[in-house]
Amino acid sequence: SSQEQVPLAISNFELILSVLAKHLGISAEEVLAQFNGKIVLDIGPGGTYPLIKYLRVNTTGAVIYGIDPRLPEGLEDHGLVKGIAQDMAKLFGKEGLGVKFDIIVSTGFFNEELPDTYQWRGPQYSSRTELYRTIAQQIKRVLKPEGIMYILAGPKPNKDFEDAFKQEGFTVANVS
């Protein structure tokens, strides 16, 4: 049976698809197809989680999760967790749902919201660098070894954030 595609109204994710397509020399549809059958986490999907809704309709066999403090309560049955990025391993790792992700996506969250929002830093982190390193460690715990993370970082990537990931052994590639 043919499934009707939902229009892509998520400009940040559309941008990720087009940039990756250009970088990889394939179409945006082929990039989207790479999500088929994968376990995906959207970090910072927002209270209405549009990217998650889009991926659930426009991919085949993908299992989509989300984590954000702005999510409404009671969506755990839908794979959406009200929480913060520092708690990813607790929520999704061995202590939580026991999930390892093939793909982690964040459409602007880390550069646009994280640096300036106290609720993401909290009093337990003395600096952004310490917070970023903690998040990189959490992502390393929940991302499969062969997994990939796509972050929309805007026109000027966050060097401190990149450095934290490099220190945790991630390969960081800037594409535009």
Side-chain angles (χ1 to χ4, degrees):
S1 74
S2 174
Q3 202 177 40
E4 183 181 334
Q5 292 230 331
V6 169
L8 183 59
I10 306 145
S11 60
N12 285 349
F13 188 64
E14 186 174 33
L15 181 60
I16 286 176
L17 291 177
S18 65
V19 168
L20 288 172
K22 180 179 174 186
H23 177 72
L24 298 171
I26 60 178
S27 71
E29 292 77 21
E30 289 171 302
V31 173
L32 184 60
Q34 292 179 5
F35 286 77
N36 291 338
K38 302 294 184 188
I39 302 172
V40 181
L41 173 63
D42 183 0
I43 299 176
T48 59
Y49 50 97
L51 173 60
I52 293 171
K53 291 175 184 174
Y54 175 81
L55 287 174
R56 286 183 174 162
V57 171
N58 292 289
T59 59
T60 305
V63 178
I64 317 295
Y65 293 86
I67 181 171
D68 195 310
R70 298 168 295 181
L71 287 168
E73 296 288 347
L75 292 174
E76 288 76 14
D77 290 347
H78 300 285
L80 304 174
V81 177
K82 186 177 182 82
I84 56 176
Q86 298 94 293
D87 290 335
M88 277 186 287
K90 182 174 76 176
L91 296 168
F92 296 112
K94 291 178 191 171
E95 307 163 21
L97 298 174
V99 177
K100 287 273 194 172
F101 299 97
D102 297 297
I103 301 172
I104 296 177
V105 178
S106 183
T107 55
F109 165 73
F110 286 112
N111 269 20
E112 293 173 13
E113 297 176 22
L114 189 60
D116 300 317
T117 305
Y118 181 78
Q119 78 180 22
W120 288 97
R121 259 183 70 194
Q124 70 270 37
Y125 300 100
S126 61
S127 67
R128 277 192 236 166
T129 303
E130 184 184 350
L131 171 62
Y132 293 158
R133 185 116 192 231
T134 300
I135 291 172
Q137 291 166 352
Q138 295 293 308
I139 288 172
K140 191 173 188 175
R141 288 187 187 112
V142 298
L143 185 65
K144 292 179 180 177
E146 69 281 4
I148 190 162
M149 182 171 181
Y150 297 124
I151 300 174
L152 181 67
K156 190 174 177 184
N158 181 332
K159 182 158 175 23
D160 294 335
F161 192 73
E162 285 183 15
D163 289 346
F165 275 79
K166 287 177 183 174
Q167 290 171 4
E168 291 303 317
F170 285 90
T171 300
V172 176
N174 285 310
V175 296
S176 58

